[in-house]
Amino acid sequence: MKLNVDVLRYLSKEDFRVLTAVEMGMRNHEIVPSELVDRIASLKHGGTYKVLKNLLKHKLVHHDSSKYDGFRLTYLGYDFLAIKTMVNRGVFASVGRQIGVGKESDIFEVATEDGTILAMKLHRLGRVSFRAVKSKRDYLRHRRSYNWLYLSRLAALKEFAFMKALEEHGFPVPNAIDCNRHCVIMSLIQGYPLVQVKELQNPETVFDRIIGLVIQLAEHGLIHCDFNEFNIMIDDHEKVTMIDFPQMVSVSHRNAQMYFDRDVECIFKFFGKRFNLSFEEDADNSDSGDVEDGSRPSFSSINKADGFLDKELAASGFTRKDQADMDKFIEEDSAGGAVSDDEDDSTDLDEAIVRDTDALPLSEEPEQIHEGGGPEEVENRESTGASGSNELEAQNESDESEAQDRNDAELVKCLNKQRRRAISAAHGGHKPFTSRNSYKDKGGRSSHNSKIQKQMCNW
């Protein structure tokens, strides 16, 4: 759908209020009912249906009456909401021509109030040319239900986060300025896509620089996954800038090596065909795990210790297990073993104290109980010797027998309780359930006979 911003200047506050109401209703509705749109918009003087008719004329909403009368946002209406928000923030003041189109997005020129030209990227997932988003992208993660507008918003947020982080770590990427809904505002790169370049003054230098970017990304824990001539910008001074980041994954992804090798293969193939660079030596050394001058880089030989951008950005493939392993290496090895024995002893002691105090009668205190009796018995044991030990054994046996009798009594009590429950259930102790709609003979012959029987029983 073509973006025509001329309509934007003629839309009123009521139009944007109703558009926002439809967007809010789409959080839990595929098609938002008309009554719900009217209730959310809450226009002072009414007229929601008139505003919806105007929005429908400009193709900002789509009407669907197959199951019920309702509306949903189109990509054009979503564009207008994002552009209106950016203008209100003062990010830019005007929208210019379209400078790029892809299977997932459209790119336009925008200008600020002081005349600075920026780039506006509008994500448009769901086009006929690329609808396998759920299997080829990780925007959904654990979610099952989705719509294309929501997926476009997730893609924009992910790309904005990657651009910010890569810029902070010194990578040649556009300057990310702002993000809202499915719209990302970034600096405009003064250059050309590498696919449009026919000649280079130093193709070997550019090639080494691009391969170095692939290796540098992997060392920081990321893989581009779409690193080809379409996503590399080059200016007149042969300065390289990489773009398009929503599909980036972590080096811990299960297919990380395949994605890395594919990115490297795309660069080798393009420079070999376009600039006639020979890589015969690279084919011989490709199986070896070393990275030497003029050889093809290997995923297994890259030192992935320069940073953890996949952790910071929650890149696809960086699981909780990876997080636990990383924390395990960061912490000291001796932290776990020094405390384990003390903790086991303390827990055993606490359990023993709990068992002893729970077994005491409520009238006694724990301090008054001794293992072999009171202080007098201790003195008698010292004087009598062997006779005291016999008395101690006899007392221990009597205590054990009392505890066993107590346990037997509790067991018998529990069994009797279960037996009474079983007997009451067998005799129909529960009241029978009667339906509310069952026939009730109020004041009839059956009720009169039942009253007479009750009176005879009372006599």
Side-chain angles (χ1 to χ4, degrees):
M1 185 177 293
K2 186 178 180 180
L3 178 62
N4 185 12
V5 293
D6 294 336
V7 183
L8 187 63
R9 67 184 68 179
Y10 300 110
L11 294 179
S12 61
K13 293 182 179 180
E14 289 76 11
D15 295 332
F16 282 105
R17 188 177 182 88
V18 174
L19 266 181
T20 308
V22 177
E23 180 190 16
M24 293 176 63
M26 288 184 67
R27 292 180 180 177
N28 48 13
H29 290 81
E30 184 178 358
I31 304 296
V32 187
S34 305
E35 295 81 5
L36 183 59
V37 176
D38 186 27
R39 199 178 317 128
I40 296 176
S42 300
L43 298 181
K44 293 182 179 180
H45 304 290
T48 303
Y49 294 96
K50 182 179 179 181
V51 173
L52 284 171
K53 185 177 179 180
N54 184 36
L55 298 177
L56 189 62
K57 180 180 70 174
H58 296 297
K59 298 182 180 181
L60 303 182
V61 294
H62 174 75
H63 179 249
D64 191 348
S65 59
S66 58
K67 296 182 179 180
Y68 53 86
D69 187 56
F71 296 86
R72 64 173 176 84
L73 272 180
T74 62
Y75 263 117
L76 188 59
Y78 210 46
D79 295 343
F80 278 21
L81 286 174
I83 292 173
K84 181 67 174 177
T85 304
M86 292 292 187
V87 172
N88 292 339
R89 291 179 183 176
V91 179
F92 59 86
S94 60
V95 180
R97 62 187 179 93
Q98 184 175 358
I99 58 176
V101 60
K103 64 181 185 296
E104 299 180 64
S105 61
D106 291 337
I107 303 175
F108 297 86
E109 283 184 347
V110 294
T112 60
E113 294 182 353
D114 58 355
T116 305
I117 305 298
L118 304 174
M120 177 179 65
K121 185 174 183 179
L122 299 174
H123 289 261
R124 300 192 187 279
L125 273 67
R127 285 175 167 168
V128 179
S129 60
F130 186 68
R131 287 197 170 180
V133 178
K134 190 173 182 180
S135 59
K136 296 183 181 298
R137 298 289 185 268
D138 67 326
Y139 307 142
L140 285 176
R141 294 186 182 270
H142 59 279
R143 305 175 185 89
R144 294 184 179 180
S145 60
Y146 63 95
N147 58 41
W148 296 116
L149 298 180
Y150 181 64
L151 283 180
S152 300
R153 176 179 173 272
L154 294 180
L157 288 175
K158 186 174 182 180
E159 182 169 23
F160 182 77
F162 275 114
M163 269 197 296
K164 276 287 187 184
L166 292 175
E167 183 185 3
E168 292 175 357
H169 286 76
F171 285 90
V173 297
N175 179 24
I177 297 175
D178 202 352
C179 177
N180 181 261
R181 294 179 175 89
H182 67 314
C183 173
V184 180
I185 306 297
M186 65 190 80
S187 61
L188 183 64
I189 303 299
Q190 301 297 331
Y192 314 94
L194 187 60
V195 69
Q196 299 178 4
V197 177
K198 303 299 181 182
E199 294 181 0
L200 288 174
Q201 295 180 358
N202 301 306
E204 292 85 1
T205 305
V206 177
F207 171 78
D208 294 338
R209 193 177 301 137
I210 293 175
I211 291 296
L213 285 176
V214 178
I215 298 175
Q216 189 179 357
L217 280 174
E219 290 175 349
H220 282 77
L222 294 174
I223 298 176
H224 192 280
C225 297
D226 198 13
F227 203 74
N228 50 42
E229 62 272 16
F230 298 95
N231 293 326
I232 298 175
M233 304 288 293
I234 188 168
D235 59 4
D236 296 333
H237 302 286
E238 297 185 354
K239 180 182 177 182
V240 176
T241 305
M242 56 181 179
I243 58 175
D244 195 13
F245 311 102
Q247 69 283 338
M248 296 184 76
V249 300
S250 167
V251 291
S252 303
H253 196 276
R254 58 182 180 180
N255 298 325
Q257 184 172 357
M258 184 268 292
Y259 289 138
F260 179 84
D261 295 339
R262 188 179 67 180
D263 289 347
V264 173
E265 181 64 26
C266 287
I267 302 303
F268 270 78
K269 186 181 295 185
F270 175 76
F271 275 84
K273 289 183 178 180
R274 180 66 59 89
F275 304 107
N276 298 323
L277 296 184
S278 60
F279 306 107
E280 295 179 357
E281 298 179 358
D282 304 337
D284 299 335
N285 299 331
S286 60
D287 296 334
S288 63
D290 300 333
V291 181
E292 300 175 355
D293 295 338
S295 64
R296 189 184 297 264
S298 175
F299 179 75
S300 59
S301 62
I302 293 176
N303 183 19
K304 311 173 189 69
D306 287 351
F308 299 102
L309 284 179
D310 50 355
K311 174 191 172 184
E312 297 176 7
L313 301 171
S316 173
F318 193 87
T319 59
R320 293 183 179 179
K321 184 178 180 299
D322 300 327
Q323 173 68 33
D325 294 340
M326 184 180 301
D327 295 339
K328 181 179 178 181
F329 284 107
I330 292 176
E331 292 177 355
E332 295 181 357
D333 297 334
S334 61
V339 190
S340 59
D341 297 333
D342 297 336
E343 290 179 352
D344 294 338
D345 295 339
S346 62
T347 52
D348 294 339
L349 180 61
D350 294 336
E351 291 177 1
I353 292 175
V354 170
R355 284 199 302 269
D356 293 341
T357 53
D358 289 343
L360 292 174
L362 295 177
S363 60
E364 296 180 1
E365 294 293 332
E367 297 178 356
Q368 298 175 357
I369 303 299
H370 297 275
E371 184 179 3
E376 298 177 355
E377 292 181 1
V378 176
E379 295 177 358
N380 294 332
R381 272 204 306 272
E382 293 177 354
S383 59
T384 56
S387 61
S389 62
N390 294 332
E391 293 177 359
L392 177 61
E393 293 177 357
Q395 186 173 359
N396 289 337
E397 291 178 357
S398 62
D399 292 341
E400 291 178 357
S401 62
E402 290 178 0
Q404 186 174 2
D405 295 339
R406 192 184 301 110
N407 294 333
D408 294 340
E410 292 179 355
L411 180 61
V412 171
K413 184 178 179 181
C414 182
L415 292 175
N416 290 335
K417 188 175 182 181
Q418 292 180 358
R419 179 171 165 272
R420 285 195 300 271
R421 288 181 180 176
I423 292 174
S424 62
H427 288 289
H430 299 286
K431 293 183 179 180
F433 176 76
T434 58
S435 176
R436 237 172 153 185
N437 300 324
S438 61
Y439 175 73
K440 295 181 181 180
D441 185 13
K442 297 181 179 180
R445 183 176 298 176
S446 59
S447 62
H448 180 67
N449 294 335
S450 62
K451 289 181 180 180
I452 295 174
Q453 290 178 0
K454 288 182 180 179
Q455 291 177 0
M456 291 178 65
C457 291
N458 292 332
W459 290 344

